[in-house]
Amino acid sequence: MVFSLKFNIQCSRQCKDNSRKSSIGYIFGFTVINVIVFGPCLLEVVKSKFVYNCRCVLRGCIPKKLMVYASKYSHEFDESNGFGWKYDTEPRHDWSTLMVNKNAELQRLTGIYKNILKNAGVTLIEGRGKILDPHTVDVDEKVAIVGGGYIALEFAGILNGLKSEVHVFIRQKKVLQGFVEEIRDFVGEQMSLQGIEFHTEESPQAIFKSADGSLSLKTNKGTFESFSHVMFATGRRPNTKNLGLETVGVKMNKNGAIEVDEYLRTTVPSIWAVGDVTDRINLTPVALIEGGAGALAKTLFQNEPTKPDFRAVPSAVFSQPPIGQVGLTEEQAIKEYGDIDVYTANFRPLKATLSGLPDRVFMKLIVCAKTSKVLGLHMCGADSAELVQGFAVAVKAGLTKADFDATVGIHPTSAEEFVTMRTPTRKIQGSPESEGKLGL
Ligand SMILES: Cc1cc2nc3c(=O)[nH]c(=O)nc-3n(C[C@H](O)[C@H](O)[C@H](O)COP(=O)(O)OP(=O)(O)OC[C@H]3O[C@@H](n4cnc5c(N)ncnc54)[C@H](O)[C@@H]3O)c2cc1C
């Protein structure tokens, strides 16, 4: 649904005077106090087309994760056979039940956010649009996904789990550019074993529709036929056109990302920007630490100029298997610190011994050779997102390998491997470019 928001919140310390309404604040977006604020005194969205459909809740993280949960059952049914479960008929998935339940949950969440705003004294004025579009995907057919980034991989896993035939087309040799090299290989292999077909070094050139309605994808290497859907997940750009930013002199880069200083202030002092629109770390929790609950709120409304802290931001990819990571990659660590020790493990988890499935787990620790500080922690395998969130506290706190070694493992888990890696897989001697620049 699309709403206008009228903020009646006044910044009590700085301005209680309604006569200063001319320094009105505009806030675009919703996940957090979002994207752009003009002036620190009174926040009021005067235009009536405030869009309420924040990406995280309605089009990104939440619906995506619900669909990941749905699709994981097919793997779990397969796993259960080795543990003695038998099914008289093949479990069948009902897409419409999933959509109805997912949409109900999104409505519920939207209601909660509306209430939060209402209780904070915000007037919601309904503008235009819809909360949800039908978003129907015929899951029984053959789908092409173009792109090798995290969103492409997540949807490949979802659709594969829901029994579509999935083909992923990527321009490069490997998926997930910028991620840890071993994980790029590992996740590609694991997903291939689950039946997803990767077409590497292939660039799409055209899509043709046949008389029977099916789609063909022409790439630099050939033409692939009979797709019911072709999905592009090739990246996003900040949607900053026609906001009037150029007119007032807000500087943007060539992709349309708004340039901000360390305090999130744009080149026009009364205008601030947070979240994806600045195109730095495009994640919901990062938008939150920048915006409403974080740095910007303190700077503008508590008289405490605050920079968001981007050190050791953990993140996950909800591919199947999922990936969790925090801190530096090996390449970044060498650049920053020179000499590093790398610990890796690649093993078959306990569950796979009976399930008989080819599931494995990969883990990696990157340690500064000089200080023994853990600089990076990376994992691909079941539960890695949940597990890395916990370890992120240790990495953020600057704990050392000795602290990890002194921590007692929980047995039997995959996680215990992170506190029992005794011998480095390799020791690397490099020359740092600028020690500690990334702040770890
Ligand atoms: C498919 C997908 C999956 C994702 N999964 C994850 C995940 O698992 N974990 C994670 O952390 N992040 C994930 N993300 C990223 C996450 O959704 C974003 O980082 C987060 O939503 C950024 O918040 P934001 O407030 O900056 O922008 P958004 O959530 O995009 O909110 C911007 C809002 O501004 C509105 N708006 C735009 N222009 C105007 C205008 N002119 N006037 C008024 N309003 C306007 C938009 O409609 C929108 O409501 C995912 C993204 C996608 C696309």
Side-chain angles (χ1 to χ4, degrees):
M1 200 174 298
V2 180
F3 288 96
S4 300
L5 303 192
K6 183 168 179 182
F7 281 72
N8 291 322
I9 305 167
Q10 295 192 21
C11 179
S12 53
R13 241 172 294 148
Q14 292 173 21
C15 174
K16 282 199 166 175
D17 178 6
N18 274 356
S19 65
R20 292 193 57 188
K21 265 195 175 172
S22 57
S23 64
I24 257 166
Y26 285 78
I27 304 177
F28 293 87
F30 181 66
T31 313
V32 291
I33 286 185
N34 213 316
V35 188
I36 303 167
V37 179
F38 292 79
C41 278
L42 180 72
L43 300 177
E44 183 173 357
V45 175
V46 279
K47 288 274 175 202
S48 68
K49 294 222 172 124
F50 194 98
V51 185
Y52 189 81
N53 59 338
C54 100
R55 193 180 314 281
C56 170
V57 177
L58 292 181
R59 304 193 188 285
C61 326
I62 303 295
K64 179 271 305 285
K65 189 77 189 282
L66 293 175
M67 291 200 285
V68 169
Y69 283 135
S71 62
K72 273 175 62 170
Y73 281 100
S74 67
H75 190 71
E76 284 158 10
F77 289 134
D78 289 345
E79 281 177 328
S80 70
N81 294 153
F83 291 87
W85 289 95
K86 299 284 170 239
Y87 306 94
D88 293 337
T89 53
E90 185 75 7
R92 203 179 55 81
H93 183 258
D94 177 25
W95 180 260
S96 57
T97 303
L98 172 63
M99 287 299 109
V100 167
N101 292 343
K102 179 207 70 158
N103 292 347
E105 174 58 11
L106 302 188
Q107 295 268 18
R108 190 184 71 80
L109 289 173
T110 306
I112 290 173
Y113 289 124
K114 272 169 70 180
N115 273 337
I116 292 172
L117 289 173
K118 198 172 144 206
N119 295 338
V122 174
T123 312
L124 290 180
I125 305 163
E126 197 165 346
R128 66 177 163 83
K130 306 163 186 135
I131 288 182
L132 305 169
D133 49 28
H135 196 63
T136 307
V137 180
D138 188 343
V139 290
D140 289 320
E141 298 183 46
K142 182 173 160 183
V143 181
I145 297 179
V146 179
Y150 84 92
I151 291 175
L153 287 203
E154 291 177 341
F155 277 88
I158 291 168
L159 294 170
N160 184 57
L162 295 174
K163 303 293 182 194
S164 294
E165 181 182 333
V166 180
H167 294 250
V168 179
F169 293 84
I170 56 176
R171 277 182 306 182
Q172 304 203 341
K173 279 195 179 135
K174 297 181 194 180
V175 295
L176 291 178
Q177 189 182 12
F179 281 66
V180 162
E181 283 303 315
E182 292 103 320
I183 286 187
R184 296 178 74 187
D185 292 325
F186 183 85
V187 75
E189 281 159 24
Q190 287 280 300
M191 292 180 79
S192 301
L193 288 169
Q194 291 175 23
I196 294 169
E197 196 167 324
F198 287 94
H199 303 260
T200 56
E201 298 182 275
E202 294 211 33
S203 298
Q205 293 175 341
I207 299 172
F208 304 105
K209 195 167 193 170
S210 309
D212 65 0
S214 70
L215 302 169
S216 300
L217 181 67
K218 181 175 182 295
T219 73
N220 54 320
K221 287 193 181 166
T223 300
F224 301 83
E225 293 171 344
S226 308
F227 294 111
S228 60
H229 296 83
V230 177
M231 171 180 170
F232 274 69
T234 49
R236 299 181 280 141
R237 272 195 204 149
N239 185 7
T240 48
K241 280 206 180 118
N242 303 322
L243 287 179
L245 294 170
E246 301 89 342
T247 324
V248 291
V250 171
K251 197 167 169 204
M252 288 174 276
N253 72 16
K254 63 179 182 343
N255 284 331
I258 297 175
E259 292 187 8
V260 286
D261 67 12
E262 290 174 308
Y263 294 93
L264 307 160
R265 188 176 278 220
T266 70
T267 44
V268 174
S270 62
I271 302 181
W272 312 70
V274 304
D276 283 13
V277 82
T278 62
D279 200 15
R280 295 180 300 175
I281 307 178
N282 294 336
L283 295 170
T284 296
V286 174
L288 287 166
I289 62 157
E290 289 182 348
L296 188 64
K298 286 195 183 131
T299 303
L300 290 182
F301 306 117
Q302 292 172 14
N303 246 345
E304 274 177 50
T306 306
K307 304 173 190 173
D309 179 359
F310 296 124
R311 285 174 309 125
V313 171
S315 65
V317 177
F318 296 100
S319 46
Q320 297 175 39
I323 298 166
Q325 55 178 16
V326 57
L328 306 183
T329 63
E330 189 172 326
E331 294 71 27
Q332 288 169 333
I334 294 169
K335 231 177 179 178
E336 294 294 320
Y337 292 90
D339 297 353
I340 57 164
D341 296 339
V342 178
Y343 297 78
T344 57
N346 182 331
F347 58 94
R348 193 174 189 214
L350 182 62
K351 199 174 188 184
T353 56
L354 287 206
S355 74
L357 300 184
D359 299 355
R360 296 190 69 80
V361 175
F362 175 80
M363 288 177 166
K364 181 170 184 176
L365 271 187
I366 296 157
V367 178
C368 177
K370 197 160 89 186
T371 62
S372 177
K373 203 188 261 190
V374 176
L375 302 173
L377 182 148
H378 307 265
M379 173 174 176
C380 182
D383 303 322
S384 52
E386 301 287 341
L387 194 155
V388 169
Q389 178 68 82
F391 277 106
V393 179
V395 176
K396 175 87 177 174
L399 297 193
T400 63
K401 182 68 172 61
D403 295 316
F404 275 55
D405 293 344
T407 303
V408 176
I410 297 176
H411 184 73
T413 61
S414 293
E416 67 182 312
E417 190 69 24
F418 272 133
V419 294
T420 51
M421 290 171 151
R422 300 284 181 241
T423 317
T425 310
R426 53 189 174 272
K427 286 175 159 290
I428 297 170
Q429 292 191 317
S431 351
E433 280 177 14
S434 53
E435 192 158 331
K437 199 175 127 212
L438 294 179
L440 277 166

